[in-house]
Amino acid sequence: MTETSRMTLAQVEATARAAHTGQRDKAGRPYAEHLRAVAEGVRARGGDEEQIAAAWLHDAVEDDALSAQWLREAALSSRTKDIVLAVTKRAGEPPEAYAARILATPGALLVKESDLAHNADPARLAVLDEATRKRLTEKYARMRALLGLVG
């Protein structure tokens, strides 16, 4: 695949938005807002275009919004595909194995860091019931620790 045949970031964004149409996050907001926040977080953290593309697609396979076959065949760099697959949780997978895969995949940690930062945003968590907020706060803190993200 040549550089010119790859999807542009605008095409990746449009694909991700379309794939998640009608989906809402835990707070009831349109899911595309989360995707945008993660992509912007990657950009703000110095991520490159391949990482930003992966950020737009980071939940697509996990949420069955796009298939793994679509990802394999997509006009994306192998690095972008690797990052998406690295941050895609697998059924029954221990958090330690998930974190190890992220750490072993070049570029994936920055995408997951941005995802966790948005997921753990106090403003997003504030609209959830206390039990859910507590469970998610603990889950995100544990993953940050497994990934070596401090602070």
Side-chain angles (χ1 to χ4, degrees):
M1 170 177 42
T2 64
E3 191 69 35
T4 55
S5 68
R6 284 198 189 138
M7 293 174 75
T8 65
L9 274 179
Q11 291 169 323
V12 171
E13 176 183 346
T15 299
R17 286 179 178 276
H20 290 276
T21 296
Q23 190 178 350
R24 301 268 173 189
D25 68 12
K26 289 175 182 69
R29 302 291 308 155
Y31 205 76
E33 291 180 10
H34 171 63
L35 302 177
R36 180 190 48 74
V38 175
E40 288 305 315
V42 167
R43 185 186 313 275
R45 288 170 173 80
D48 59 33
E49 287 206 0
E50 291 173 321
Q51 290 169 301
I52 295 166
W56 276 108
L57 298 169
H58 79 277
D59 280 335
V61 176
E62 183 177 314
D63 292 351
D64 292 323
L66 295 170
S67 69
Q69 180 175 340
W70 177 89
L71 183 65
R72 279 193 299 278
E73 296 171 359
L76 298 164
S77 72
S78 58
R79 181 167 172 255
T80 294
K81 294 175 187 184
D82 289 347
I83 293 169
V84 172
L85 292 174
V87 300
T88 298
K89 289 188 202 106
R90 299 172 187 167
E93 180 177 39
E96 295 80 5
Y98 176 57
R101 186 174 62 252
I102 291 168
L103 291 171
T105 305
L109 181 59
L110 189 68
V111 174
K112 189 60 186 177
E113 179 182 14
S114 181
D115 179 39
L116 287 168
H118 189 247
N119 283 339
D121 180 335
R124 284 186 85 209
L125 291 171
V127 301
L128 304 175
D129 64 84
E130 187 175 343
T132 301
R133 184 171 53 247
K134 184 177 189 306
R135 178 181 60 81
L136 291 176
T137 299
E138 290 170 1
K139 174 183 164 185
Y140 301 145
R142 176 155 189 251
M143 184 53 57
R144 286 184 60 80
L146 289 170
L147 293 170
L149 300 170
V150 294

